[in-house]
Amino acid sequence: EEGVFDQFNSLLRRQVRRQEGREAEPSACVIDSQSIKTSTNVPASGQGVDAGKKIVGRKRSIVIDTVGLLLAVLVTAASVQDSVAGQALIEKVAAEHPTVRKTWVDGGYRQYLVEHAATLGIDMHIVRRDPAARGFTALPRRWTVERTLGWLMNHRRLARDYEAHPHRSEAMVHLAMINLMTRRLTAESTPSWRGT
């Protein structure tokens, strides 16, 4: 099921990019992850503990283009390191999107991943937060992936991971992105509970 959603997602992404005056295929991307809690029907073997965020559950690692549209997603146990998931994702991006030549990641990704990306012809930059900054500051290039994760969390089914199998969780992310892109293409703005 994820393969069908992935193909449809790819088709819609090209249309949205063209509508915004960009090339159909991206030349740059951003990678990040999000740890989320799981429901009681998720088997314990598919979960893990993200010690940094103190979350027991799963981790969604996503790759987006600079417009904020999904290129790839990988759902793992929350205990999986960002660099491990990042390696699988960067290989998938290199295979499926040969036009991508640059990517930005946060400090959770290790130097060996930068070197691995270079062997695939992708220039990876680690964007670090300014240690002198206080409170929230938008990081250059990286804020787009945070925005996309926020868009995904607005879909109730993604507020928590309810799926027993990780590939179904990935399909739910694809469905949410398809919903977002169809609204973007049709310029539909549905009233939400946030305005009340």
Side-chain angles (χ1 to χ4, degrees):
E1 63 216 10
E2 189 213 342
V4 174
F5 294 140
D6 194 21
Q7 290 172 0
F8 194 56
N9 181 29
S10 180
L11 176 72
L12 284 174
R13 184 183 59 251
R14 287 188 190 102
Q15 290 179 342
V16 171
R17 288 181 61 84
R18 283 192 196 108
Q19 181 176 296
E20 295 190 6
R22 295 177 178 261
E23 294 291 326
E25 282 298 320
S27 60
C29 65
V30 188
I31 304 174
D32 200 9
S33 66
Q34 172 188 48
S35 295
I36 48 164
K37 294 179 181 177
T38 51
S39 67
T40 55
N41 65 324
V42 176
S45 61
Q47 300 181 53
V49 179
D50 183 338
K53 295 178 183 158
K54 298 179 178 64
I55 289 180
V56 176
R58 285 190 176 147
K59 185 177 283 187
R60 287 184 197 128
S61 298
I62 65 170
V63 182
I64 63 157
D65 64 8
T66 54
V67 180
L69 306 177
L70 189 70
L71 298 178
V73 61
L74 179 66
V75 176
T76 60
S79 55
V80 173
Q81 291 292 320
D82 286 349
S83 293
V84 173
Q87 183 170 346
L89 286 171
I90 203 73
E91 288 170 359
K92 184 174 183 178
V93 167
E96 295 178 5
H97 305 280
T99 56
V100 171
R101 290 286 159 244
K102 186 173 281 205
T103 186
W104 293 274
V105 296
D106 67 13
Y109 295 86
R110 306 281 183 250
Q111 185 62 34
Y112 79 84
L113 186 59
V114 174
E115 294 161 5
H116 180 66
T119 65
L120 299 171
I122 299 174
D123 185 20
M124 182 178 283
H125 295 278
I126 298 176
V127 180
R128 301 194 190 284
R129 189 174 190 274
D130 180 9
R134 296 280 179 237
F136 173 78
T137 54
L139 298 176
R141 297 291 182 181
R142 292 239 328 103
W143 67 269
T144 55
V145 73
E146 301 297 343
R147 180 186 63 183
T148 299
L149 289 169
W151 287 342
L152 293 174
M153 290 301 284
N154 280 334
H155 290 79
R156 184 182 283 176
R157 187 73 180 258
L158 297 178
R160 182 179 288 264
D161 196 329
Y162 295 98
E163 309 306 321
H165 302 287
H167 70 276
R168 290 192 182 146
S169 296
E170 293 170 6
M172 285 297 153
V173 172
H174 281 292
L175 278 173
M177 188 53 66
I178 288 167
N179 177 272
L180 287 165
M181 287 189 291
T182 52
R183 287 179 183 220
R184 235 163 136 166
L185 284 170
T186 60
E188 177 189 339
S189 60
T190 307
S192 74
W193 57 271
R194 292 180 185 275
T196 59

